[in-house]
Amino acid sequence: DALPIYTWKKVTTTVHNIIVGKLWIDQSGEIDIVNHKTGEKCNLKFAPYSYFSRDVPRKVTGEVMDPTGKVHFILSGTWDEKMDGFRAAAGSSTEHGAERAEESRFMLWKRNPLPKNAENMYYFSELALTLNAYEENTAPTDSRLRPDQRLMENGRWDEANAEKQRLEEKQRMTRKKREAEALKSTEDGNGTESYKALWFERKLDPVTKEVTHVYRGGYWESKEKQDWAACPNIF
């Protein structure tokens, strides 16, 4: 059987006090997470922060429905601490929602404690701290190899800033070159793409009807052979 396909769009992220005061963010809006194989849907509501509200800050509520719209599960929690699930109470599901069976509570996820000395590491989680960790035998285009990032992590701020400017100028020149090649191709009437991504190709998604990038293959084979000859020099 084909694996289920889920789609969703993120809620609005608002950054407060960018100019003055302590920075903080808020999430607000609604998400519909749709299982396109079964037709099931989860609707999540992110309550915006309000100084006058008595609700728990960063509150999230939700319902999981079958294809007919009948509610089977109710979700409750916050987007930064934990979320719980409840079965819908028997006979309570209507087009206006459902009541939760309190005795059926189960935990969906809970935030892990922050690592020791988190205040010195931007309060990053264990996962966030490892996202940019160096890994051997990756493609030379791997973003973890970006030199200005590595310099910054090592506290060499002046060098990192100079390297960042160099890389951004290189990216601008590369973009101009590609745009010029695309224009020439159009003027010549051959209609061929002057640039194609190495590991992905643009295709119309049959489910969402939106153009997306689909993996075309080849990366894992190149990694196994350690043959990166096709990779451009982006750094």
Side-chain angles (χ1 to χ4, degrees), residues 157-174:
W157 297 98
D158 291 341
E159 294 172 78
N161 187 52
E163 188 64 12
K164 177 176 179 289
Q165 292 179 20
R166 182 191 69 80
L167 284 173
E168 289 176 347
E169 181 59 28
K170 182 173 183 177
Q171 290 167 358
R172 281 190 285 269
M173 295 303 295
T174 301

Side-chain angles (χ1 to χ4, degrees), residues 193 196-205 211-217:
E193 289 187 60
K196 289 184 179 180
L198 193 56
W199 314 118
F200 295 86
E201 57 184 331
R202 285 165 60 87
K203 282 188 174 181
L204 185 69
D205 189 298
V211 175
T212 185
H213 286 83
V214 179
Y215 178 58
R216 70 162 80 231

